[in-house]
Amino acid sequence: MRRVGRTVRGIAAAAAGVLLGALGAAVPAHAATGFYACPRGYFCAWTGENGTGSMMKTNKNMPTLGAWDNRIVSVSNQTTSVVCTYTDANYVYDDGYSFERPELAGEGGWTGGTPDISSLKFVKTERECVEPPYGPWYSQKSGVKAAFGDLDGDGYADVLSRDLAGRLWFVPGSTGAGRLLGAGWNAMTAITRHGDFDGDGHEDLIATDTAGKMWLYPVTGSAVFHTRRLVGAGWNTMAKVTAVGDLTGEGYNDLLATDKAGTLWLYPGNGHGNFGARKLISSGWQVMTALTGSGDMNGDKIADFFARDTSGKLWLFGGKGHATFYPRQLVSSGWNVFDSLISVGDTDGDGRNDLNGVTNNRYVMDGYAGYQGWLLLYRGTGSGRTPLRSPVQQSGDWWELNGTY
């Protein structure tokens, strides 16, 4: 797969959105104004360099270009969308594609070489030129009824995927076909899920926003959100918030949170979408860069969790069931190659909880770093001594996303 960006002259404005409109007729471009001839809200193309020659403008997708096929030499994107251009018709990218980010008035770019654009479309993120706006997630049906991870109740572990434009997608493990849940999720500083919080038997979602408010998003058994409900405020004092399952043994799902001073707190759930008085667990957690509620990893039927430290070591904290833990256990090193750690239960269908991760550009393949966007599966063993097997690569198409939950 090629990911090729055209060189753009000028300053590219970073924004998202799709504007609809009509394709205008080709008109002579005014050489004196060049790229300034392109009106706001349109993508314009010229037959000559630097906005010269005949001009066309559009704000609609064009699977074919008609009389403009293989004639475009220079372009200007005056929309708030990313415009993908393709060598072939119908947005086929096998023979090459490029993208044009939004530009300021009077700014533009050029194709260079022989004109070869045959189709174009408007998208919110560059990734959508060649991929869906969510990661390609598939899981195996589990023979064990899941207490968490399965949002639609079909026996397959599912994920939520946030794209760079802030849209949140539900991606079912059974089909991998994403469904849009909503936009505006870039306002959330933490998104987490692990089981039912409001007592209706369905897994819910918890998120904190930039104002420090925590919201509960009740989820139906078909992965549809009810109206969100405010849980509390003041959560912007927390560096990390993670749903972890039942750590107290009371039968309700709990939260762990680390504050900016590095103190770890347990917030016990009450089964009605709220939390009891927090309990201090310990200090020194500022050295941890990630927490994830994995469920039971050592076979004792009590929820555990993983934590990654600044050196890239992954630690298992085995729960005792009374908001206390066994001494931490080193799993392995090298975990700083992950942008996201994904705990959604049993993903390989063997009845044991697994751990997945999406890599950053530190990930090494064939002796070279830079392999961002690979999904790796670590199968759970059910044994506390060696809780995870060696990783298995699942897909390399998880690049340019903004979190998986």
Side-chain angles (χ1 to χ4, degrees):
M1 173 186 307
R2 260 192 270 186
R3 280 178 261 162
V4 182
R6 176 184 297 117
T7 302
V8 179
R9 284 186 176 175
I11 302 172
V18 176
L19 297 175
L20 300 178
L23 171 64
V27 297
H30 299 287
T33 57
F35 291 129
Y36 281 102
C38 187
R40 295 302 295 173
Y42 285 88
F43 176 80
C44 301
W46 290 264
T47 56
E49 294 183 358
N50 298 317
T52 61
S54 297
M55 184 188 85
M56 62 89 91
K57 65 178 183 179
T58 184
N59 53 14
K60 274 190 173 181
N61 294 341
M62 298 179 66
T64 59
L65 297 187
W68 279 84
D69 186 41
N70 293 330
R71 293 185 62 203
I72 294 174
V73 174
S74 58
V75 298
S76 180
N77 182 10
Q78 296 298 308
T79 76
T80 57
S81 301
V82 173
V83 179
C84 312
T85 60
Y86 302 87
T87 299
D88 295 330
N90 299 309
Y91 324 125
V92 175
Y93 57 85
D94 293 350
D95 291 329
Y97 77 94
S98 187
F99 55 81
E100 198 76 22
R101 300 184 182 98
E103 293 158 324
L104 298 177
E107 299 292 339
W110 67 96
T111 59
T114 303
D116 62 354
I117 296 176
S118 296
S119 58
L120 63 88
K121 70 177 179 180
F122 298 79
V123 297
K124 291 182 180 293
T125 64
E126 294 165 12
R127 171 187 171 84
E128 293 168 81
C129 291
V130 294
E131 297 284 357
Y134 49 84
W137 175 260
Y138 299 93
S139 62
Q140 299 297 316
K141 189 170 185 177
S142 180
V144 178
K145 182 174 176 56
F148 71 104
D150 180 12
L151 285 168
D152 58 4
D154 64 355
Y156 295 83
D158 312 309
V159 298
L160 300 175
S161 182
R162 180 172 61 176
D163 64 30
L164 291 179
R167 295 170 295 177
L168 190 67
W169 301 83
F170 164 67
V171 189
S174 56
T175 67
R179 171 164 54 85
L180 180 63
L181 295 175
W185 286 84
N186 279 345
M188 297 301 173
T189 57
I191 300 173
T192 187
R193 49 181 271 243
H194 189 115
D196 176 27
F197 283 94
D198 62 2
D200 67 354
H202 304 302
E203 184 169 33
D204 305 308
L205 183 68
I206 288 176
T208 59
D209 63 24
T210 51
K213 294 179 180 178
M214 176 177 282
W215 301 92
L216 172 71
Y217 292 80
V219 181
T220 70
S222 55
V224 175
F225 286 176
H226 290 301
T227 302
R228 70 179 186 175
R229 179 162 60 82
L230 181 64
V231 175
W235 288 84
N236 46 5
T237 62
M238 296 297 170
K240 286 178 273 301
V241 178
T242 306
V244 289
D246 180 17
L247 294 177
T248 64
E250 296 175 348
Y252 307 123
N253 291 313
D254 309 316
L255 288 180
L256 287 177
T258 58
D259 63 26
K260 293 177 181 178
T263 305
L264 179 66
W265 300 91
L266 171 70
Y267 290 81
N270 65 5
H272 300 288
N274 288 301
F275 301 93
R278 68 182 186 177
K279 177 181 178 180
L280 173 65
I281 301 299
S282 61
S283 58
W285 287 78
Q286 65 270 25
V287 301
M288 296 298 177
T289 60
L291 304 176
T292 185
S294 57
D296 176 27
M297 298 301 298
N298 56 17
D300 64 359
K301 309 300 182 185
I302 300 173
D304 310 313
F305 71 95
F306 289 110
R308 180 186 62 193
D309 66 23
T310 52
S311 70
K313 293 178 180 177
L314 188 71
W315 301 90
L316 174 66
F317 290 80
K320 291 185 177 181
H322 302 286
T324 57
F325 305 92
Y326 294 104
R328 68 179 187 176
Q329 175 188 340
L330 178 62
V331 178
S332 59
S333 301
W335 288 79
N336 50 8
V337 302
F338 291 103
D339 269 342
S340 296
L341 297 178
I342 308 166
S343 293
V344 289
D346 177 20
T347 62
D348 65 354
D350 66 355
R352 303 184 188 96
N353 293 326
D354 306 308
L355 182 62
N356 290 263
V358 176
T359 63
N360 55 37
N361 59 15
R362 297 181 182 180
Y363 183 52
V364 175
M365 290 176 58
D366 300 323
Y368 297 94
Y371 285 87
Q372 183 178 9
W374 277 88
L375 177 69
L376 305 186
L377 165 63
Y378 290 81
R379 293 187 170 96
T381 65
S383 168
R385 291 186 176 182
T386 309
L388 299 174
R389 300 187 190 279
S390 298
V392 179
Q393 291 178 345
Q394 301 295 293
S395 167
D397 295 328
W398 288 75
W399 45 276
E400 291 189 3
L401 296 170
N402 195 23
T404 306
Y405 315 94

